[in-house]
């Protein structure tokens, strides 16, 4: 048997450590790639959900706008019918509202 001064043991330990380091680097690269893929998937899912939510909110808003527009048109038509049916009352009411607003505005100046 040949005696060694520990040089071969050190050399073997260093080689083993290098192998483990390389293996660890490969595993870290795989983990980083997997994290990147999962992050992209999560980002796409979040974008899709936010787009769906935006579309839903937008549709709801447009429907509400249409409802308000329809109601205001109905109110305008009702007001026109009322004025045509009772023109003297409409003029009197308009004058009364004008006087009240004028009184309120002149009161604020004092």
């Amino acid at each position: 048997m040949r005696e060694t001064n520990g040089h071969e043991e050190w050399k073997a330990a260093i080689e083993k450590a290098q192998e483990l380091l390389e293996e660890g680097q490969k595993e870290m690269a795989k983990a980083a790639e997997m994290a990147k893929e999962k992050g992209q998937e999560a980002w796409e899912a979040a974008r899709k959900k936010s787009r769906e939510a935006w579309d839903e909110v937008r549709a709801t808003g447009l429907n509400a706008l249409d409802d308000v527009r329809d109601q205001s048109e109905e109110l305008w038509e009702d007001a026109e019918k009322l004025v045509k049916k009772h023109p003297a009352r409409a003029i009197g009411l308009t004058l009364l509202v004008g006087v009240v607003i004028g009184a309120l505005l002149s009161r604020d100046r004092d």
Side-chain angles (χ1 to χ4, degrees):
M1 255 178 140
R2 196 174 130 197
E3 282 187 43
T4 62
N5 59 4
H7 179 67
E8 288 180 22
E9 290 175 11
W10 272 102
K11 186 177 177 182
I14 290 173
E15 288 174 0
K16 183 66 175 172
Q18 285 176 333
E19 287 174 16
L20 291 173
L21 178 63
E22 288 172 6
E23 187 178 320
Q25 288 173 334
K26 288 177 186 176
E27 290 298 318
M28 289 294 287
K30 285 180 190 176
E33 186 61 31
M34 187 184 304
K36 180 180 173 185
E37 289 172 6
K38 293 296 180 185
Q40 287 174 339
E41 289 172 10
W43 175 255
E44 289 301 319
R47 282 183 57 201
K48 182 180 177 187
K49 286 209 180 275
S50 66
R51 182 62 187 185
E52 289 170 355
W54 167 252
D55 290 343
E56 186 177 319
V57 167
R58 184 174 181 272
T60 301
L62 290 174
N63 289 338
L65 181 63
D66 287 342
D67 291 347
V68 168
R69 187 176 292 136
D70 291 344
Q71 289 175 356
S72 65
E73 287 174 1
E74 288 175 17
L75 286 173
W76 184 259
E77 290 169 2
D78 291 346
E80 282 181 335
K81 287 177 187 175
L82 189 62
V83 168
K84 286 178 183 177
K85 188 174 182 179
H86 305 285
R89 246 190 229 173
I91 291 171
L93 184 60
T94 303
L95 287 173
L96 179 63
V97 169
V99 169
V100 170
I101 291 174
L104 291 173
L105 290 176
S106 66
R107 199 182 235 188
D108 288 342
R109 291 185 195 159
D110 296 335

